[in-house]
Amino acid sequence: MRSLLVIGNWKLNGNKNTITNLTIALVNAFYNISKCSVAIAPPVMYLDVVKRYLLNSHIQLCAQNVDIHLSGAFTGDISAEMLQDLNTRYALIGHSERRIHHKENDADIAKKFFILKKVGLIPILCIGENKKEYDSGYTQSVCINQIKAIIKLLGIEAFKNSVIAYEPIWAIGSGVSASPENVQLVHKSIRDYIASYDASIADNITIQYGGSVTPENVIQFFDQKDIDGVLVGAASLNANSFSMIVQTAEKHKKPYPD
Ligand code: PEP
C-alpha cells in the first residue's frame, strides 16, 4: 500500500536567511504529521544548514541533482556519497530544467539513477512531455521511453524503492496544471507498463504528479487512484501554501485499500 509523498523543490531560490526561516516554519507546521511523507529540496549549498533544523522532524532532505561519479576530478559536481553524508534521503534526477538547460539525456539520467541506488538514496525520476508532444498525443510514449532507458541499463529491479514524478513540461511554473483525470490516465499507463515486468514493483512504486500544484487544486490529484503524491515548485517556497498542501495530504483517505 502506498502512502502520499509530498516534495518541495526550492530550485535556485532563497538565501541563508530566507531558507532558514522557511525551514523553521515548516518544521513547526509539520510537528504532528505522521501519515504522509514530506521532503524538501533546497539548493545544494544549503542542505547542511537545513539538515540541522530537521533533526527530530518528520521532514526528509531531498537533493535537486547528483553527479554520476562518486569522487575525482569533476569540478563543480556533487556526489551521491556527499549527499548521503548529509543524511539526504531522496534526489531528483531528470528534472526537465536539467534536461533542457544542461542537455541531460536519458543515458545520463540512467547513470545517475544507478549511482543513487548504489549509495542507498532514493531516486525521484522526473519524466514528462513537452507541449508539442502533448498536443500530438505522444505523452504516454514519451514517458514510457524515459522509463525504458532506466530499465535498459539497470533492469526493472531498480524501480524497487524508487519514485517516479510525472511532470508535463508545459505545466511546470506555468500556472496551468494538467487535468487530474488525464494525469490519472498517464500514471495508470506507467504503472501498467511497470507491471508488465513486475506486478509487485508496480503496486508499490510511488508515482507523483508535478506542475503548478497549489493548495487549491491538490486534492483533485490526491483523489485519483494512481497519483501517490506531488512534487511542488513555486508553492513550496511559501510556508503557508506548502503547509496547506501537506495538511491536505495528511488528512486524505489514502492509502486506498487494493
Ligand atoms: C517543478 O519544478 O518540479 C514544479 C512542479 O514546479 P511548479 O510547481 O512551480 O510548477
Side-chain angles (χ1 to χ4, degrees):
M1 286 228 271
R2 309 177 300 268
S3 57
L4 290 169
L5 170 63
V6 179
I7 299 184
N9 176 12
W10 295 352
K11 309 192 186 189
L12 187 60
N13 292 298
N15 55 41
K16 194 169 163 188
N17 188 40
T18 59
I19 281 183
T20 301
N21 290 340
L22 181 53
T23 305
I24 293 170
L26 296 179
V27 168
N28 290 336
F30 301 157
Y31 75 94
N32 62 349
I33 294 292
S34 60
K35 297 199 196 89
C36 66
S37 301
V38 186
I40 48 179
V44 70
M45 68 189 303
Y46 298 119
L47 278 173
D48 199 30
V49 173
V50 169
K51 184 193 99 171
R52 291 173 208 185
Y53 294 97
L54 299 189
L55 289 175
N56 304 320
S57 95
H58 184 72
I59 307 172
Q60 301 286 340
L61 266 186
C62 177
Q64 296 180 18
N65 185 29
V66 68
D67 187 48
I68 60 172
H69 303 98
L70 285 181
S71 63
F74 303 102
T75 304
D77 286 326
I78 312 288
S79 84
E81 282 177 347
M82 292 171 184
L83 296 176
Q84 188 201 43
D85 202 21
L86 294 182
N87 294 338
T88 309
R89 175 144 193 201
Y90 304 96
L92 304 178
I93 50 172
H95 192 285
S96 58
E97 286 154 15
R98 294 212 57 91
R99 291 181 192 257
I100 294 167
H101 303 308
H102 298 268
K103 308 277 176 276
E104 289 186 10
N105 61 32
D106 286 340
D108 301 323
I109 294 157
K111 288 181 199 153
K112 291 184 177 203
F113 200 114
F114 168 78
I115 207 78
L116 290 170
K117 296 293 284 189
K118 181 172 171 175
V119 168
L121 269 78
I122 301 176
I124 316 277
L125 174 69
C126 302
I127 59 172
E129 81 288 2
N130 62 30
K131 183 73 169 67
K132 197 169 161 207
E133 291 160 341
Y134 173 75
D135 288 340
S136 312
Y138 293 145
T139 297
Q140 295 187 5
S141 60
V142 167
C143 291
I144 298 301
N145 282 337
Q146 289 170 338
I147 290 170
K148 262 188 199 162
I150 308 295
I151 298 176
K152 192 173 155 203
L153 185 75
L154 306 176
I156 194 66
E157 291 290 307
F159 281 102
K160 252 188 204 164
N161 200 26
S162 300
V163 176
I164 293 172
Y166 166 56
E167 299 204 300
I169 298 171
W170 49 270
I172 295 179
S174 66
V176 181
S177 62
S179 93
E181 294 75 19
N182 278 348
V183 174
Q184 165 59 23
L185 290 177
V186 178
H187 283 212
K188 170 98 170 55
S189 74
I190 292 169
R191 207 180 297 286
D192 286 349
Y193 181 71
I194 294 176
S196 71
Y197 289 87
D198 188 306
S200 157
I201 293 175
D203 268 355
N204 287 303
I205 193 162
T206 295
I207 310 178
Q208 295 181 296
Y209 166 74
S212 297
V213 169
T214 63
E216 292 74 33
N217 66 18
V218 71
I219 190 141
Q220 299 163 41
F221 293 103
F222 293 156
D223 282 346
Q224 302 293 332
K225 186 171 189 293
D226 288 289
I227 302 180
D228 310 317
V230 284
L231 179 53
V232 186
S236 70
L237 288 166
N238 178 288
N240 284 339
S241 301
F242 194 56
S243 299
M244 284 160 77
I245 290 170
V246 170
Q247 296 294 353
T248 303
E250 177 73 2
K251 285 190 214 125
H252 203 270
K253 62 186 179 299
K254 276 189 174 171
Y256 291 120
D258 290 331

